[in-house]
Amino acid sequence: MAKYVIKRILLMFFTLFVIMTVCFVLVKLLEPNEILDVTQAEREEAIREALGYNKPILVQYLIYWKNILTSFNFGVSFKIEYLGSVNDVIRDRLLPTILINLYALVFSVPVGILLGIAAALKKNRWQDHVISTVVMLFVSVPSFVYAFILQYFLGAKLGWFPIQMSSVASTGGYFTWEMFVSMVLPILALSFGSIASLARFTRAELAESLTSDYMLLARAKGLTVGQATVRHALKNAMVPILPTIIAMFANILTGSLIIEKIFSVPGVGGLYIQSIQELDYNVFMAITVFYTFIGLAANIIVDLSYGFLDPRIRMGAKK
């Protein structure tokens, strides 16, 4: 198991290195940024020289890696926050992204699992058909479509929630009730897909567990349907479901590019799009590395979680 973990981690960093290299080279082939502020021209020229902008791409890349490994420095922003640290720009955008995705996760996980359990217990009945139809609808339609529907009906027509997320200046902070109300629509838009995926997955796994031989044995021992379901079927069905939930937790930092843009969420997703639109290459590279690392780490966590949840599938386990 230890060899497998080390191998996966090494492959993760190798993949990250390859993606960073490709992105860095492609970015350097684009048209270079022009100096925007004449009064800051000398300072910007000094920063560009320190980053090796007047040297070959290979030298620039080595300097880029040196700054990351020695001081975790991804450079400065030349467009979004002029001559500001890229690390600070991203850090300021992390909190709203984490909050919205965390709220969506806390809401979608129990709802999705409960719907899946209800559909499995009522398999092939009208309750199962209704839940399956709703789940199929939620899975098939993109999240940005629900975002527009929620904005139109709950925001514009009924006026229950703001169409866009409120600013910190108007609400007094990210942890106020007014701010939470303004987050409801993006939270719902993000939750529909997760609810549908969890419900469908839970229904499939639990329905299979309910027809297993150990369930017949449990019923023969005198357990009720509810007791056998909770103690045995649900416990075994959660083994493949929990890694999915773990992956969802690991991805709460990444946010949603489209949803954040639609609801004007000042998060990492919107910052990524802004860095592309304004050609802020250093911010783009840093967020690309951020997204890539989170995605690769989530895959490793999911793979390893199977072994911890079910020791029978651990690599190198004694038979």
Side-chain angles (χ1 to χ4, degrees), residues 227-255:
Q227 291 174 333
T229 300
V230 173
R231 296 182 185 179
H232 300 285
L234 188 59
K235 181 179 179 180
N236 284 275
M238 289 302 292
V239 171
I241 296 173
L242 283 177
T244 303
I245 300 175
I246 294 173
M248 293 170 64
F249 270 106
N251 287 322
I252 64 175
L253 293 175
T254 59

Side-chain angles (χ1 to χ4, degrees), residues 23-70:
C23 290
F24 187 88
V25 173
L26 293 178
V27 163
K28 291 301 177 181
L29 293 177
L30 298 175
E31 183 179 352
N33 293 132
E34 298 179 357
I35 297 178
L36 301 178
D37 192 341
V38 179
T39 61
Q40 297 274 5
E42 293 184 0
R43 182 186 174 197
E44 182 172 342
E45 282 292 351
I47 293 175
R48 289 175 180 270
E49 186 175 353
L51 295 176
Y53 280 27
N54 56 345
K55 298 178 181 178
I57 293 180
L58 180 59
V59 177
Q60 295 181 41
Y61 191 50
L62 292 177
I63 294 174
Y64 188 74
W65 266 107
K66 176 186 175 183
N67 293 335
I68 293 176
L69 296 177
T70 57

Side-chain angles (χ1 to χ4, degrees), residues 265-284:
V265 178
V268 179
L271 180 64
Y272 197 36
I273 296 178
Q274 185 181 359
S275 68
I276 297 173
Q277 292 174 338
E278 299 187 16
L279 302 180
D280 200 330
Y281 304 142
N282 288 334
V283 176
F284 168 78

Side-chain angles (χ1 to χ4, degrees), residues 133-177:
T133 302
V134 174
V135 165
M136 185 61 63
L137 178 65
F138 282 175
V139 168
S140 304
V141 180
S143 59
F144 65 86
V145 175
Y146 294 117
F148 291 131
I149 293 175
L150 291 170
Q151 280 185 328
Y152 180 76
F153 286 103
L154 299 186
K157 285 295 184 180
L158 299 177
W160 291 354
F161 304 101
I163 295 178
Q164 295 183 332
M165 180 176 167
S166 302
S167 63
V168 177
S170 62
T171 59
Y174 285 111
F175 298 97
T176 61
W177 176 252

Side-chain angles (χ1 to χ4, degrees), residues 93-109 165 183 186-191 194 248-257 259-260 265 267-269 291:
R93 303 292 189 99
L94 269 179
L95 184 56
T97 292
I98 293 176
L99 286 178
I100 286 182
N101 284 272
L102 185 60
Y103 290 150
L105 195 62
V106 171
F107 172 70
S108 59
V109 168
M165 180 176 167
M183 292 181 179
I187 290 171
L188 292 177
L190 287 172
S191 297
S194 300
M248 293 170 64
F249 270 106
N251 287 322
I252 64 175
L253 293 175
T254 59
S256 171
L257 302 179
I259 296 299
E260 289 189 5
V265 178
V268 179
Y291 277 141

